[in-house]
Amino acid sequence: VMKIENHPNENKMTKKETKIMELLESGDIVTRETLQETVYGWPESMSSNADYTPLRMAISRMKKKGIANIETVRGIGFRLIV
């Protein structure tokens, strides 16, 4: 488990959740493909909706833990709401 400084639930984040937060913390929309490739190491060429299941599950866990308010941008990706 890695930490992000000054985050109230920092001790609860896994390495993958930490990577997701680092990508989303700008507040910009981050595509599913970018998250998938950066966090899981899967190239865009291998993308299908089924391939996004681990990413969706990780984001869902983060929401349940209260780590972040992450918005799904339908058909594009995700962004952090601050």
Side-chain angles (χ1 to χ4, degrees):
V1 176
M2 298 184 73
K3 296 181 180 182
I4 289 185
E5 298 271 334
N6 301 321
H7 193 280
N9 292 308
E10 62 186 80
N11 293 322
K12 298 181 181 182
M13 294 200 310
T14 65
K15 289 180 184 180
K16 292 197 184 312
E17 291 169 347
T18 301
K19 283 184 183 181
I20 292 169
M21 278 296 291
E22 288 171 351
L23 291 166
L24 294 174
E25 65 187 357
S26 70
D28 296 332
I29 296 172
V30 181
T31 65
R32 291 178 303 197
E33 292 83 5
T34 298
L35 287 166
Q36 174 181 280
E37 188 170 343
T38 305
V39 175
Y40 294 96
W42 301 333
E44 284 186 49
S45 60
M46 294 178 61
S47 296
S48 74
N49 280 339
D51 293 335
Y52 296 120
T53 300
L55 177 62
R56 287 193 305 257
M57 290 175 61
I59 289 176
S60 177
R61 281 191 309 270
M62 291 170 73
K63 289 177 179 181
K64 286 179 184 176
K65 290 179 184 180
I67 291 173
N69 185 9
I70 300 172
E71 176 185 33
T72 301
V73 182
R74 186 181 168 113
I76 300 173
F78 303 92
R79 73 175 167 174
L80 183 64
I81 303 299
V82 287

